Amino acid sequence: MNVFQYEFAIRALIAALVIGLTAPALGIYLVQRRMSLIGDGVGHVALTGVGVGLLLNQSPILTAMLVAAAGAVAIELIRERGRTSGDLALAILFYGGIAGGVMLVGLSSNRSNAALMSYLFGSLNTTSPTDLVVIVGLGAVLLAAMLVLRPALFAVCQDEEYAKVSGLPVRALNLLLAVTTAVTVTIAMRTVGLLLISAMMVVPVATAQQVTRGFRSTMALAMGVGLLAAVAGVWLAGQVNTAPGATIVVLAIAAFLAVALGAALRRTLHRRSLPATTRPTAELEPPDVVLER
């Protein structure tokens, strides 16, 4: 059965393609900064924004974006000033965001579990034309920013002190990354889901790093992996009737495992093909520290 003969499936595919392209483009900077889990933290805070929107009968997407952006900026300022460690700040985002979101959703008039689950894990099949316009518009802006500012963002992620000496606006660029993370999480809320979007930021990048060395090539391959996982995930979800967001993430992880195993096998075969005299040998321990039997 061709699932793409239906209009809702076409909208779902376009939305998934946008997320599959933009999430790795942003995620590569987060991976370089060793902040791979910030997407999860911002996603939990965005859930609080969803609860605020439902409680006040406002657009959950708008309130989620505002609350997530505020949370991301706050965590970046805390990290910059060094008042608490990065993992502790992320833990506060995790627990406070999810607890506040569930509590506010429970207080709102829309208390159905289906509504909450659609934001947590995505609901591609219910993507409306309005949702699609917002996703495509914001996705295009995010992708343009990540590509145009790539040299400056790369410098900041590699060495902030060097970037400051070079005259780059380090704080502004760090805040830009924080805000774009919040926006990416928000636009992915209706597609992949708040709890799964971080995987699309990190897993394609980790996959590309197995076979590439340069930053530009890693970024390009990660975006390609994200696109492939998005297309295959939407198609497979339509065939086997599974959640599209979860299917996309599972396929992305499967691609990572396949590439990682292939890279390991290639390295093993390469070492075995070398002459015995050129093979790397393990360093022996000094005699004075060798354990006696």
Side-chain angles (χ1 to χ4, degrees):
M1 181 181 68
N2 182 16
V3 297
F4 299 123
Q5 62 182 318
Y6 303 106
E7 186 177 349
F8 74 88
I10 297 297
R11 291 199 299 268
L13 177 62
I14 296 174
L17 288 175
V18 172
I19 300 303
L21 193 64
T22 56
L26 169 66
I28 189 170
Y29 300 108
L30 302 180
V31 171
Q32 290 294 319
R33 298 182 66 189
R34 300 184 185 275
M35 296 185 69
S36 301
L37 292 179
I38 193 173
D40 270 339
V42 174
H44 286 71
V45 173
L47 183 61
T48 298
V50 171
V52 171
L54 295 176
L55 187 63
L56 301 178
N57 292 321
Q58 301 295 323
S59 171
I61 295 180
L62 177 60
T63 54
M65 186 178 300
L66 294 176
V67 173
V73 169
I75 200 65
E76 173 58 33
L77 294 177
I78 292 173
R79 184 200 66 82
E80 178 185 316
R81 298 186 180 185
R83 294 184 177 180
T84 186
S85 61
D87 60 338
L88 178 59
L90 285 176
I92 294 173
L93 279 178
F94 269 59
Y95 306 134
I98 194 80
V102 172
M103 184 182 69
L104 291 175
V105 170
L107 293 174
S108 67
S109 58
N110 189 353
R111 300 187 181 189
S112 65
N113 290 331
L116 181 60
M117 295 292 286
S118 68
Y119 291 109
L120 291 177
F121 300 104
S123 182
L124 267 175
N125 295 336
T126 60
T127 303
S128 67
T130 303
D131 292 336
L132 186 61
V133 171
V134 173
I135 291 171
V136 172
L138 291 177
V141 173
L142 290 173
L143 184 60
M146 295 302 100
L147 294 177
V148 172
L149 299 176
R150 181 177 58 196
L153 291 174
F154 173 77
V156 171
C157 293
Q158 290 296 110
D159 191 338
E160 285 194 8
E161 296 301 323
Y162 174 79
K164 289 179 181 178
V165 173
S166 300
L168 293 174
V170 173
R171 172 175 289 185
L173 291 171
N174 283 334
L175 292 178
L176 174 66
L177 278 178
V179 172
T180 51
T181 301
V183 175
T184 302
V185 168
T186 305
I187 65 175
M189 182 170 59
R190 299 292 292 167
T191 55
V192 181
L194 294 175
L195 298 186
L196 296 176
I197 178 55
S198 185
M200 290 305 295
M201 294 180 182
V202 175
V203 176
V205 177
T207 303
Q209 287 179 334
Q210 301 295 318
V211 293
T212 58
R213 292 295 178 265
F215 184 84
R216 182 180 301 177
S217 59
T218 301
M219 186 178 193
L221 183 56
M223 293 166 66
V225 172
L227 283 175
L228 182 61
V231 175
V234 173
W235 177 82
L236 183 60
Q239 297 296 320
V240 299
N241 194 26
T242 56
T247 307
I248 291 172
V249 173
V250 167
L251 289 180
I253 294 174
F256 167 76
L257 294 176
V259 172
L261 290 175
L265 179 62
R266 185 185 64 179
R267 288 193 296 268
T268 300
L269 294 177
H270 177 69
R271 284 197 298 268
R272 290 182 178 180
S273 66
L274 294 175
T277 55
T278 61
R279 292 179 186 175
T281 57
E283 294 183 1
L284 299 176
E285 293 181 310
D288 58 333
V289 298
V290 174
L291 299 177
E292 296 290 339
R293 292 188 178 185

